[in-house]
Amino acid sequence: SVSAVEESEEENFLRSPICCVMGHVDAGKTKLLDCIRGTNVQKGEAGGITQQIGATYLPAENIQERIKELKAADDKHMKVPGLLLIDTPGHEPFTKLRSRGSGLCDIAVLVVDIMDGLKPQTIESLNLLKSRNTEFIVALNKVDRLNGWKPCPNAPIIKAMKQQSQDVKNEFNMRVVQIVTQFKEQGINTKLNVNENKRMRETYSIVPISAKSGEDIPDLLSLMVYWTQKSMTEKLTYSNEVQCTVLEVKYVEGLGTTIDVILVNGVLRRGDQIVVCGNHGTPIVTRIQSLLTPEPMKELRVKGKYQHHSEIRATQAIKITSPQGFEHAIAGTALYVVGPDDDLEEVKEAAMEDMMKSVLVNNNK
Ligand code: GDP
């Protein structure tokens, strides 16, 4: 268990922000996720990226290595331990990642295709983000498709723009103006994040990127980290109180029906008594049988696909099994740990109340 010393050390300790990628179909959400996850793995440099269940963890060292060329990186200190990127793009994981009506996703990346501008699903995403009060960054993707674009892999946009012809610059500017206008029509002020956007809460940043050739991905990562750690200090302060959401309920051969969860705060331990919402209006009361994360890639040949843990600390994505399985668990609801001083009946009530709210939220979305 956590000692008093550890606890006091953690008073001002920030957890990793949770990030979702949203936007219209074909805007490049999957490609962007691949790009963020894959760049360094392929190059074999500054590794440390870990694949989780339903998420990818980018440790601070990895991010720092990737943004080191940025001017902004010189005088800034990374306070968050990393970034937890939800692997599935789109609305569904975002709507499931909630707690008592508010969003668990700390920051979203709204991907917009520079050639297409805002599309119906972009507007749907925007409305969801507004309704959950979630901050977001606009990733204006596919800049490489501008006619005559000269690729500058992984370069910051200022550097990449300097390489472009006047025609490309003109087309870029024209498209940005159009897209800023389209956002304005939705009641959202946006601004190109060329020089640092200091008023991000009123004016959302647009980061022009290419998920194909990697332009300005460093700026996007840097903005995600520095913006969240600066403006969400309170929300991101690590707490020992367990905050955990069920993202998926999945049958796995040999394991039975498991739940994939995002542990936002606190520690889960093998053997913990837990309560999860069940359909049929009955809460599931059980124990954590195993806490699983995928094997690191290099150990793929080792027997068994998962690593077992006796305890896991937030922020992480984890697969959980229980002796009786989770057949009736409901994705998008909270997982509660029954502590030594907790009354089981009260915890069960809280869990089911949470489900009622989830139903309301999902019907009104
Ligand atoms: P999603 O539906 O939003 O997940 O979109 P995808 O990531 O599947 O991308 C849709 C298509 O656009 C695919 O053919 C991608 O290869 C392509 N694409 C995505 N990002 C870029 C980009 O930055 N530049 C170019 N040229 N193509 C891209």
Side-chain angles (χ1 to χ4, degrees):
S1 68
V2 186
S3 71
V5 178
E6 271 180 72
E7 271 183 33
S8 66
E9 274 176 3
E10 272 160 15
E11 260 167 37
N12 292 311
F13 173 80
L14 299 189
R15 63 170 175 84
S16 303
I18 299 168
C19 171
C20 286
V21 174
M22 302 174 75
H24 194 79
V25 66
D26 283 344
K29 301 179 293 294
T30 310
K31 191 101 178 158
L32 173 61
L33 280 163
D34 285 347
C35 183
I36 297 178
R37 281 185 303 229
T39 317
N40 293 63
V41 175
Q42 278 160 11
K43 285 192 192 161
E45 63 185 43
I49 295 183
T50 51
Q51 202 65 43
Q52 300 200 341
I53 289 158
T56 301
Y57 185 70
L58 303 169
E61 310 83 73
N62 177 284
I63 297 170
Q64 242 149 4
E65 177 65 26
R66 294 167 80 164
I67 66 175
K68 68 181 177 201
E69 270 195 56
L70 300 180
K71 200 170 150 277
D74 293 344
D75 44 53
K76 284 183 185 159
H77 169 63
M78 254 182 96
K79 294 185 202 133
V80 293
L83 205 58
L84 190 76
L85 199 65
I86 303 298
D87 276 350
T88 321
H91 288 162
E92 217 206 355
F94 179 83
T95 53
K96 280 181 190 163
L97 273 169
R98 29 143 258 110
S99 157
R100 290 157 217 261
S102 76
L104 277 190
C105 164
D106 298 301
I107 187 137
V109 175
L110 181 62
V111 185
V112 174
D113 183 332
I114 191 167
M115 308 307 275
D116 289 346
L118 269 62
K119 305 265 273 187
Q121 279 174 294
T122 326
I123 293 166
E124 252 175 57
S125 304
L126 255 183
N127 290 334
L128 272 173
L129 291 165
K130 281 189 210 163
S131 74
R132 301 285 160 88
N133 246 324
T134 306
E135 306 283 332
F136 61 91
I137 297 167
V138 178
L140 194 57
N141 192 28
K142 309 198 189 181
V143 292
D144 64 283
R145 287 189 59 206
L146 295 170
N147 197 18
W149 180 269
K150 291 196 199 78
C152 306
N154 297 310
I157 200 69
I158 297 186
K159 199 169 154 193
M161 273 332 244
K162 284 191 185 138
Q163 317 294 315
Q164 309 305 324
S165 68
Q166 195 55 47
D167 281 352
V168 173
K169 287 179 188 164
N170 290 346
E171 190 191 350
F172 173 82
N173 288 333
M174 180 207 69
R175 291 192 184 274
V176 169
V177 168
Q178 277 175 353
I179 288 165
V180 168
T181 308
Q182 290 177 333
F183 272 110
K184 194 135 216 163
E185 284 163 8
Q186 301 301 320
I188 300 283
N189 289 324
T190 52
K191 179 170 180 269
L192 255 196
N193 180 63
V194 176
N195 293 311
E196 196 183 347
N197 178 0
K198 295 202 173 69
R199 290 149 60 94
M200 229 173 94
R201 215 173 276 274
E202 301 118 76
T203 312
Y204 291 87
S205 284
I206 298 180
V207 183
I209 62 159
S210 166
K212 192 178 171 195
S213 40
E215 280 91 342
D216 225 17
I217 302 296
D219 265 314
L220 184 62
L221 287 172
S222 148
L223 195 57
M224 280 196 252
V225 166
Y226 293 124
W227 170 243
T228 50
Q229 71 181 24
K230 185 173 138 198
S231 68
M232 301 174 197
T233 316
E234 204 175 318
K235 195 180 178 197
L236 292 179
T237 298
Y238 177 84
S239 148
N240 274 318
E241 196 178 319
V242 170
Q243 194 184 1
C244 184
T245 292
V246 179
L247 201 55
E248 299 287 345
V249 181
K250 268 191 211 148
Y251 177 80
V252 179
E253 196 70 50
L255 295 178
T257 305
T258 65
I259 49 174
D260 295 347
V261 303
I262 302 289
L263 179 61
V264 183
N265 265 311
V267 177
L268 292 181
R269 297 184 178 84
R270 189 163 53 212
D272 275 351
Q273 187 179 33
I274 56 170
V275 179
V276 182
C277 276
N279 49 29
H280 315 314
T282 15
I284 301 166
V285 181
T286 186
R287 287 196 179 274
I288 296 180
Q289 183 179 44
S290 46
L291 286 168
L292 308 169
T293 60
E295 282 288 353
M297 290 196 244
K298 59 179 189 309
E299 292 170 33
L300 214 65
R301 266 172 283 152
V302 179
K303 197 167 166 247
K305 270 162 64 191
Y306 299 102
Q307 251 178 334
H308 289 249
H309 302 263
S310 55
E311 62 171 59
I312 287 189
R313 181 179 300 254
T315 302
Q316 293 230 46
I318 311 152
K319 185 182 278 302
I320 298 178
T321 70
S322 83
Q324 75 257 46
F326 287 104
E327 272 79 13
H328 303 297
I330 303 173
T333 59
L335 175 151
Y336 289 82
V337 172
V338 187
D341 305 325
D342 291 334
D343 175 55
L344 178 60
E345 289 312 310
E346 276 176 23
V347 179
K348 281 158 76 175
E349 265 170 42
M352 294 319 281
E353 228 174 81
D354 201 51
M355 188 192 72
M356 295 312 292
K357 285 186 188 147
S358 144
V359 170
L360 286 176
V361 170
N362 287 325
N363 287 345
N364 293 334
K365 75 176 174 211

